[in-house]
Amino acid sequence: MNDCLFCKIVAGIIPSHKIFENDRVFAFLDIGPVSPGHTLVITKAHAENLAANTVEDACALMVAIHDLALKITQAVGAQGYNLGMNHGVAAGQDVLHTHLHIMPRQEGVAREFKKTHPSQEELAKVAEMIRVQLNSAN
Ligand code: 5GP
Ligand code: ZN
């Protein structure tokens, strides 16, 4: 096991509020959400950034976004979402393992990119709401 934070999350060594996984992709709540439901979608295979991923994993990431983003948004009562990827330290990438941010947005609420610090209980509640929505939509 390498020393990568997100690899440890995929392996369950570091706990997370998981909302989805398949053979290539893993999705969990961001610990410092800029909005309720802020989700990170990552490739299970370690790659420092998208350019280093296989094309198959890059496609799997986008398929997961296609399947998840609107359902996550609806689960938290939002109407739209921002997608974000910081590619490279120069762009603000802190965790060097490919991840896409899904940031649900409510009409009339300022689109801040400031981190918030919800409790584990609050995050668990949001994750459960999202999982219920994903399961009911299947
Ligand atoms: P980046 O700046 O690399 O695009 O985003 C990394 C994200 O990972 C940040 O939004 C940060 O809040 C999130 N993050 C950092 N450490 C953890 C952690 O231990 N657990 C979870 N769930 N998210 C984390
Ligand atoms: Zn990794």
XYZ file of all heavy atoms in Angstrom, residues 29-30 32-39 76 78 80 82 102-106 109-110 112-116 118 123 126:
214
model
N -18.249 11.423 0.255
C -18.419 12.849 0.558
C -17.082 13.502 0.883
O -16.245 12.916 1.587
C -19.361 13.027 1.746
C -20.827 12.659 1.518
C -21.645 13.029 2.758
C -21.400 13.338 0.274
N -16.921 14.707 0.380
C -15.759 15.523 0.745
C -15.881 15.901 2.224
O -16.952 16.293 2.695
C -15.715 16.781 -0.141
C -14.376 17.488 -0.075
O -13.979 17.915 1.036
O -13.729 17.617 -1.119
N -14.646 18.418 3.657
C -14.761 19.875 3.796
C -15.628 20.446 2.688
O -15.149 21.216 1.841
N -16.910 20.089 2.689
C -17.773 20.426 1.542
C -17.959 21.934 1.327
O -18.134 22.679 2.285
C -19.115 19.767 1.903
C -19.088 19.640 3.396
C -17.648 19.397 3.762
N -17.946 22.355 0.083
C -18.268 23.748 -0.233
C -19.780 23.925 -0.316
O -20.279 25.059 -0.324
C -17.595 24.222 -1.542
C -16.079 24.066 -1.470
C -18.147 23.511 -2.769
N -20.501 22.815 -0.392
C -21.967 22.834 -0.383
C -22.417 21.458 0.094
O -21.669 20.476 -0.029
C -22.503 23.109 -1.800
O -22.131 22.047 -2.674
N -23.648 21.353 0.638
C -24.121 20.046 1.090
C -24.159 19.051 -0.082
O -24.642 19.376 -1.168
C -25.542 20.346 1.603
C -25.517 21.804 1.961
C -24.602 22.447 0.951
N -23.630 17.865 0.143
C -23.603 16.847 -0.906
C -22.337 16.854 -1.743
O -22.196 16.030 -2.660
N -21.414 17.761 -1.451
C -20.133 17.834 -2.182
C -19.475 16.450 -2.148
O -19.139 15.926 -1.089
C -19.251 18.882 -1.513
C -17.912 19.097 -2.163
N -17.113 20.162 -1.836
C -17.216 18.401 -3.091
C -15.986 20.125 -2.540
N -16.028 19.039 -3.309
N -19.325 15.887 -3.320
C -18.868 14.497 -3.469
C -17.575 14.459 -4.275
O -17.401 15.240 -5.215
C -19.966 13.686 -4.199
O -21.149 13.692 -3.393
C -19.545 12.244 -4.454
N -30.029 16.235 -2.303
C -29.812 17.285 -1.298
C -30.684 18.513 -1.573
O -30.485 19.571 -0.987
C -28.319 17.691 -1.203
C -27.473 16.497 -0.742
C -27.801 18.242 -2.527
N -30.939 20.329 -4.252
C -30.327 21.384 -5.073
C -30.830 21.264 -6.514
O -31.459 20.263 -6.885
C -28.811 21.282 -5.017
N -28.768 22.478 -9.351
C -27.679 22.407 -10.323
C -26.412 21.953 -9.624
O -26.406 21.742 -8.407
N -21.852 22.186 -9.823
C -20.550 22.467 -10.447
C -19.733 21.186 -10.426
O -19.750 20.452 -9.441
C -19.765 23.523 -9.662
C -20.428 24.879 -9.665
O -20.725 25.428 -8.620
N -20.656 25.419 -10.841
N -18.035 16.939 -7.332
C -19.421 17.308 -7.682
C -19.918 18.211 -6.556
O -19.932 17.797 -5.387
C -20.343 16.068 -7.761
C -19.843 15.070 -8.801
C -21.784 16.499 -8.073
C -20.599 13.728 -8.757
N -20.306 19.444 -6.921
C -20.722 20.417 -5.911
C -22.141 20.893 -6.210
O -22.343 21.754 -7.079
C -19.732 21.599 -5.909
C -18.329 21.178 -5.468
S -17.017 22.344 -5.894
C -16.706 21.915 -7.623
N -23.132 20.292 -5.531
C -24.526 20.678 -5.770
C -24.743 22.155 -5.428
O -24.126 22.678 -4.493
C -25.318 19.779 -4.815
C -24.421 18.615 -4.552
C -23.024 19.192 -4.559
N -25.618 22.800 -6.185
C -25.876 24.234 -5.960
C -27.369 24.523 -5.885
O -28.146 24.060 -6.716
C -25.270 25.047 -7.113
C -23.755 24.958 -7.208
C -23.068 25.457 -5.964
N -21.614 25.619 -6.163
C -20.783 26.021 -5.224
N -21.231 26.300 -4.008
N -19.502 26.137 -5.472
N -27.717 25.282 -4.852
C -29.100 25.717 -4.633
C -29.324 27.055 -5.317
O -28.476 27.948 -5.167
C -29.328 25.961 -3.133
C -29.210 24.751 -2.260
C -30.558 24.136 -1.971
O -31.578 24.633 -2.456
N -30.563 23.066 -1.212
N -28.478 30.644 -3.569
C -27.393 30.541 -2.583
C -26.082 30.857 -3.289
O -25.803 30.335 -4.371
C -27.340 29.129 -1.948
C -26.165 29.009 -0.981
C -28.658 28.805 -1.250
N -25.281 31.720 -2.677
C -24.027 32.159 -3.304
C -23.137 30.951 -3.613
O -23.008 30.036 -2.806
C -23.297 33.111 -2.363
N -20.127 29.753 -3.368
C -18.825 29.889 -2.713
C -17.999 28.633 -2.958
O -18.542 27.547 -3.127
C -19.019 30.027 -1.195
C -19.921 31.165 -0.778
C -19.140 32.436 -0.527
O -17.938 32.462 -0.837
O -19.741 33.392 -0.008
N -16.681 28.787 -2.938
C -15.791 27.620 -2.975
C -15.037 27.501 -1.649
O -13.936 27.002 -1.597
C -14.843 27.699 -4.171
C -15.556 27.424 -5.475
C -16.076 28.466 -6.234
C -15.741 26.118 -5.920
C -16.755 28.213 -7.415
C -16.421 25.854 -7.114
C -16.928 26.902 -7.861
N -15.713 28.010 -0.603
C -15.117 27.974 0.739
C -15.502 26.678 1.431
O -16.673 26.280 1.411
C -15.661 29.154 1.566
C -14.590 30.135 1.987
C -15.119 31.147 2.984
C -16.173 32.045 2.346
N -16.771 33.016 3.246
N -14.537 26.024 2.070
C -14.827 24.778 2.779
C -15.691 25.040 4.004
O -15.531 26.057 4.679
C -13.530 24.129 3.261
C -12.733 23.474 2.166
C -11.532 22.746 2.757
C -10.608 22.251 1.671
N -11.275 21.436 0.673
N -16.599 24.078 4.307
C -17.331 24.100 5.570
C -16.875 22.887 6.386
O -16.148 22.030 5.878
C -18.850 24.049 5.329
O -19.165 22.815 4.655
C -19.324 25.230 4.481
N -18.783 20.377 8.528
C -19.885 19.669 9.193
C -19.356 18.543 10.090
O -18.252 18.034 9.871
C -20.702 19.100 8.035
C -19.797 19.106 6.862
C -18.767 20.164 7.085
N -22.504 14.663 8.101
C -22.047 14.039 6.847
C -22.724 12.684 6.651
O -23.140 12.345 5.532
C -20.525 13.880 6.848
C -19.701 15.157 6.678
C -18.213 14.878 6.892
C -19.924 15.785 5.296
N -26.253 13.189 5.343
C -26.265 13.567 3.924
C -25.957 12.342 3.052
O -26.618 12.083 2.048
C -25.256 14.703 3.650
C -25.116 14.962 2.152
C -25.688 15.980 4.364
